[in-house]
Amino acid sequence: KENLCPDDTFLWVCFFCNNQYRIKDAGSQVSPQELKSTFEHSLEQVGQMVIMLNDFFDPLYIDRAWCIFETYICVTKGLPMTMIVPPAAQADFKRKLDNGVGLAGVQQKFEAIDSKHSRSTKPENSQLIHDLIEQTYGFEAVNQQVKVQLLHCLTLE
């Protein structure tokens, strides 16, 4: 879609480079500030982010603590983001748009982003992200910025 040269295109996958299990289970306590610095540095090095949604109407991404946090870091750093979805989800979205029900449903779902109640596989990781957000940016700021950015990405699709 972007006409990128495969020889010059590289993917950085967050769970390989910033393994959330390793960060939390390394035997040492990771402070919210250390976590913030780690993600900021890694995302700045990459320079952009691809957001992979499973679906437009019930995306798992917007309920995940790590995903919301990473999106917010990209927003604060001014890093470009691209949203991708599987072809079947794109077709379903376009079909619902043609029927006049698509955009309002998607917008309503994205507007309900709630970083304070986001989750991760391990509850202690959710708590770590929640503490970080609460101690640095605040839940409302994160929610607002992430929802605006995701809705912006959606309009580019």
Side-chain angles (χ1 to χ4, degrees):
K1 178 178 171 182
E2 302 292 332
N3 295 321
L4 299 173
C5 175
D7 293 336
D8 298 328
T9 303
F10 302 92
L11 292 177
W12 174 86
V13 180
C14 64
F15 62 82
F16 289 132
C17 298
N18 283 341
N19 186 315
Q20 291 95 352
Y21 293 108
R22 241 189 354 246
I23 288 171
K24 186 67 179 149
D25 295 337
S28 63
Q29 292 293 357
V30 177
S31 74
Q33 191 58 42
E34 289 173 296
L35 183 65
K36 176 181 173 286
S37 295
T38 297
F39 275 87
E40 284 177 343
H41 175 74
S42 296
L43 287 167
E44 286 176 317
Q45 292 295 310
V46 174
Q48 62 183 335
M49 185 165 83
V50 176
I51 298 167
M52 299 188 309
L53 298 184
N54 60 309
D55 182 73
F56 281 117
F57 296 95
D58 194 21
L60 298 172
Y61 187 93
I62 65 173
D63 294 325
R64 307 293 298 163
W66 292 105
C67 297
I68 291 171
F69 175 68
E70 291 165 357
T71 301
Y72 186 75
I73 294 296
C74 281
V75 170
T76 61
K77 295 297 178 181
L79 301 173
M81 291 177 253
T82 303
M83 185 182 290
I84 60 173
V85 294
Q90 271 187 328
D92 184 43
F93 178 64
K94 288 179 181 174
R95 191 171 40 259
K96 288 180 179 176
L97 274 179
D98 291 342
N99 294 333
V101 295
L103 193 54
V106 172
Q107 186 172 1
Q108 183 179 20
K109 185 69 176 177
F110 279 67
E111 298 234 353
I113 289 172
D114 182 3
S115 58
K116 187 173 185 174
H117 296 100
S118 59
R119 61 193 190 327
S120 61
T121 303
K122 293 186 172 186
E124 60 269 23
N125 288 344
S126 298
Q127 190 60 54
L128 183 67
I129 293 293
H130 296 162
D131 290 347
L132 173 62
I133 291 170
E134 188 172 39
Q135 293 172 20
T136 54
Y137 312 109
F139 294 111
E140 272 311 305
V142 169
N143 294 345
Q144 183 61 30
Q145 291 293 323
V146 169
K147 98 173 86 171
V148 165
Q149 183 62 41
L150 292 179
L151 286 169
H152 174 73
C153 288
L154 179 65
T155 62
L156 299 175
E157 278 302 304

